Amino acid sequence: MLTREDIQSQGVALEARPYPKRHGEPNRTSTSGSTGKPVTVVSTQIQQLMWNALTLRDHLWHRRELWQKFAAIRKIKGHDTRDRRSSSYPTWQPPVSDVFHTGPGALLSIHTGLENQVAWLIEERPAYLLVYPTNLQALIDICRRDNLRIPGLRQIRTMAEIVPPELRVQCREVLGIEIADMYSSQECGYFALQCPGHDHYLVQAESCLLEVLNDAGEPCGVGETGRVVVTPLLSYAMPLLRYEIGDYATVGAPSPCGRGLPV
């Protein structure tokens, strides 16, 4: 297995020389270090292309009305104060606006105070919101306390953290809408997207080989939980072969949606 410690200690020794030039120029990406172990990897333009394609797949799977307003509350590079920092855009921004005509977009720094975040959402009236699950929990707590609803909100997209089942329940009860989550990492891209109409996740098998292994290193069966080991299929510039990312997942039964991807 390849570990985070291996990537940290080996560094440039893991880079491929050469790699297919048609994959585009290399780009160095560093993880946020949310686990306390940040790593730096080299990716290419074709990996970004796949990321964009799966982003579009997520929107299409969930039949989002792209002419509506999209908003995000997330980390903005270089901004770490409690002062509000927001931006408005005429579109949803690439890659969606590269392919479709979209409605406007809005962005707010995660460091904005929670009360101001709620006020901003009520003012902006987005149809779709991208947010971190822990931040969403805090917003729901405020809306429940003050008996507030966010007008026009149709769905919440979450990222970067685990979505507890109780958060989905609270989102339905307090805001009257569903959560659509995604599972990804900065160094590897998308692993899985939530299946439309269900709470389980579909592995994006076109872009990665995702294994769930037990303590003996054998594949887990349906209903069993094990270590996530992933091999991104397009990381030619820095091959990450059987990378043990440090997460755990539970293998699901085949999805009734008919898409045929692992659960």
Side-chain angles (χ1 to χ4, degrees), residues 19-25 45-46 236:
Y19 67 89
K21 296 307 178 186
R22 62 183 180 275
H23 285 207
E25 293 298 318
Q45 289 173 291
I46 201 170
Y236 279 57

Side-chain angles (χ1 to χ4, degrees), residues 21-43:
K21 296 307 178 186
R22 62 183 180 275
H23 285 207
E25 293 298 318
N27 177 59
R28 293 187 180 276
T29 302
S30 295
T31 67
S32 61
S34 57
T35 62
K37 301 175 182 177
V39 298
T40 299
V41 299
V42 180
S43 61

Side-chain angles (χ1 to χ4, degrees), residues 24-255:
E25 293 298 318
N27 177 59
R28 293 187 180 276
T29 302
S30 295
T31 67
S32 61
S34 57
T35 62
K37 301 175 182 177
V39 298
T40 299
V41 299
V42 180
S43 61
T44 63
Q45 289 173 291
I46 201 170
Q47 288 172 268
Q48 182 62 51
L49 180 65
M50 178 61 81
W51 179 284
N52 293 348
L54 295 181
T55 298
L56 294 174
R57 164 184 273 182
D58 183 62
H59 290 311
L60 294 173
W61 273 5
H62 289 274
R63 299 181 181 273
R64 296 188 181 111
E65 297 176 343
L66 303 180
W67 59 89
Q68 303 278 358
K69 177 180 279 190
F70 176 82
I73 300 176
R74 61 184 303 171
K75 181 177 176 59
I76 299 176
K77 188 174 182 180
H79 185 258
D80 58 1
T81 75
R82 298 288 288 181
D83 297 330
R84 167 173 164 167
R85 178 175 173 184
S86 61
S87 303
S88 298
Y89 305 94
T91 70
W92 286 26
Q93 301 287 88
V96 186
S97 60
D98 289 337
V99 182
F100 298 104
H101 293 292
T102 74
L107 173 66
L108 182 68
S109 170
I110 187 65
H111 294 290
T112 304
L114 288 165
E115 302 281 352
N116 288 333
Q117 289 185 30
V118 173
W120 180 81
L121 287 170
I122 293 174
E123 176 187 345
E124 291 290 338
R125 300 174 63 95
Y128 303 101
L129 171 65
L130 176 66
V131 67
Y132 305 113
T134 48
N135 197 74
L136 174 59
Q137 179 67 70
L139 296 177
I140 288 176
D141 291 342
I142 292 175
C143 289
R144 181 192 291 112
R145 182 196 70 194
D146 297 340
N147 194 27
L148 295 173
R149 285 288 183 103
I150 300 170
L153 194 58
R154 296 170 179 242
Q155 187 186 63
I156 290 179
R157 299 177 66 212
T158 50
M159 63 176 185
E161 302 167 352
I162 294 173
V163 176
E166 58 269 22
L167 181 59
R168 296 185 184 276
V169 173
Q170 292 179 54
C171 194
R172 294 175 186 131
E173 291 177 347
V174 177
L175 300 180
I177 54 176
E178 299 288 337
I179 290 173
D181 190 34
M182 65 190 83
Y183 177 28
S184 65
S185 79
Q186 289 176 281
E187 64 266 44
C188 297
Y190 283 107
F191 295 153
L193 299 174
Q194 185 176 324
C195 181
H198 302 274
D199 289 349
H200 59 247
Y201 299 73
L202 299 177
V203 175
Q204 300 304 285
E206 300 94 337
S207 67
C208 71
L209 171 65
L210 191 148
E211 304 171 78
V212 181
L213 306 179
N214 61 23
D215 290 340
E218 299 172 344
C220 289
V222 172
E224 295 179 341
T225 301
R227 296 170 294 134
V228 173
V229 175
V230 64
T231 300
L233 299 179
L234 292 174
S235 59
Y236 279 57
M238 189 173 182
L240 303 178
L241 305 179
R242 306 198 80 196
Y243 174 34
E244 188 173 350
I245 196 166
D247 293 344
Y248 287 80
T250 302
V251 177
S255 176

